[in-house]
Amino acid sequence: MSAAILIVAEHDGSTLAAGTAKCVACAATVAQAEITVLVCASDAAAVARQAAQLQGVHRVLTVEHPVHAHPLAAAIAPQIAALAAPYTHVFGPSSTFGKDLMPRIAALLETAQVSDIMAVESPRRFRRPIYAGNAIVTVEVPEDAKVVGTVRTASFPAAGTGGSARIENVAPPAEPPAHTRFVSSSAAKSDRPDLQTAARVISGGRALGSAEAFQMLYRLADKLGAAVGASRAAVDAGYAPNELQVGQTGKIIAPELYVAIGISGAIQHLTGIKDARTIVAINKDPQAPIFEVADIGLVGNLFEIVPQIEKLL
Amino acid sequence: MMKRIIVGIKRVVDYNVRIRVKPDGSGVALDGVKMSVNPFDEIALEEAIRIKERGLAEEVVVASVGPTDCQAQLRTCLAMGADRALHVHSDTPTEPLTTARILLKLIEREQPFLVLLGKQAIDDDNGQTGQMLAALWARPQATFASKIVLAEGKAQVTREVDAGLETLEVDLPAVVTADLRLNEPRYVKLPEIMKAKRKPLETLSVESLGITPRVQLRTVRVDPPPQRQKGMLVENAAELIAALKAKGLLAS
Ligand SMILES: Cc1cc2nc3c(=O)[nH]c(=O)nc-3n(C[C@H](O)[C@H](O)[C@H](O)COP(=O)(O)OP(=O)(O)OC[C@H]3O[C@@H](n4cnc5c(N)ncnc54)[C@H](O)[C@@H]3O)c2cc1C
């Protein structure tokens, strides 16, 4: 039996988010998948064109409505549920966008959701992390149910480009509710690489002790073309903004190089970096749990070591 | 009508416990392991209590679906400051969709103006119940909340999203799920634990609410995660850079 997979695109109104290409790569590992990407936007043209270029995408559907100028789960979910009938699978990224939206769709479709799919074992069998990644469960969705899932983007490469799927506009019958309204967002624009997709990440913990000390990491990151990350303790203390948090409740990332500076390596933090290719740890405590996962460890005072590294680069 | 908040509570393995996967792959070893209130639910409850302390709610009701043992966590919540507890008895774990259906029944009975849940439970890490509940209830949701400001019939909720912070306005009643930075839960003092023993805790059966639990996902097996190889130690910054160059991670 073939699979008809609907992927909910994430975007900011003009650019398709990297997570969508990873959902496509995940969907492509389902046998005989026919992949449709759905773009909900106030003006979907630019994003739809990018989605149509993804390798493996069969067609792109657009739903245009002024309410979709900002992604509101309460507005998007009923429209997707209304379009879902022909599909065997509905996937979205396990970003905050997808985590917010997909369970609302699943409930409207009266089906269970598989969160954070990290591997596809069969069209209905998936592996996903539980207990902050300290166990991996394999679950199976019954034949009579639609598969609704979020895709753990760190587990998949991005689908390539060069495709040319056809684009179709559709108007689902469901009218979005008015009970939820967008007020504002504080998305900080930065010229630095995006934490979620960066090949190199320099991350700081509580040991930095101040927002000023964190500037040292930004300088190092700029020299290396790296993104900056942080532990929860560093964010809680106000040394770094919340969008930099890495871990169970922050971002799950898979860079080529992750440098943990003054981070102890609590399980909730480690779950965010398990897929990093190389982990470097700089910590003054040789017993710190971060050294159990680090490929390269350096025991010492970060306030001496980081400036030395900066000088040597 | 009484201005009421319902808070969903889940009994989970304490976040400090290093869990172990059973060798036969049937699940995670839970015998004798310390259990606690899911940390995100504790934050949700703290927020509800603060809202009541500011005079914006009159009653905080905690509700948990689970085995008899979860009454211990409900007692902790009563000691923190909840007024009343509802325990919906289920010896087998319920999937988020069933939990949401059960919570909806409690909502119909209690008519809250606000429902607060944790954004995810740290055992299954599903992160679904709040959104599913909001969908079934056909009400607004504001997930990953780091700030809640209540006004007449409305709430402004600041959410922690990948790009930073986002603020939504939702009509009440609504479902809000708590993120870590919403607040810091208070410590429970001994006299409160004694007092909590006299607070009402009602037990209901799933069937009495008219719900047949549905298990859709079949657990095939549980594996330990792949272990990373222990790496090497270097002595100083220069050696670190040399090691990175050797791995091809820095241009030499
Ligand atoms: C439900 C829940 C979810 C969580 N989610 C997350 C999450 O998503 N991400 C996350 O990161 N955490 C998360 N946490 C928190 C986590 O448990 C830890 O508390 C946190 O990661 C600790 O941050 P840290 O390593 O910066 O601080 P600490 O644990 O305090 O470690 C600081 C480290 O710095 C070292 N140090 C101190 N001074 C120096 C110096 N001068 N030079 C070098 N090293 C030095 C110390 O030896 C220590 O190892 C969560 C916790 C809970 C309960």
Side-chain angles (χ1 to χ4, degrees), chain A residues 204-208 230-234 245-251 261-269 271 282-285 288-290 300-303, chain B residues 15 39-40 122 180:
Chain A
R206 193 198 310 269
L208 270 294
S231 73
R232 173 194 172 184
Q245 182 173 317
V246 171
Q248 182 185 20
T249 39
K251 294 195 165 100
I261 301 178
I263 292 178
S264 60
I267 52 171
Q268 295 88 3
H269 187 81
T271 191
I282 300 172
N283 195 303
K284 70 173 185 192
D285 174 10
I290 189 77
N301 182 352
L302 75 92
F303 293 102
Chain B
Y15 80 96
F40 294 101
I122 60 164
L180 286 174

Side-chain angles (χ1 to χ4, degrees), chain A residues 259-263 280-284 291 298 300 302 305-306 309, chain B residues 240:
Chain A
V259 185
I261 301 178
I263 292 178
V280 173
I282 300 172
N283 195 303
K284 70 173 185 192
F291 287 121
L298 174 48
L302 75 92
I305 294 167
V306 174
I309 296 174
Chain B
L240 173 58

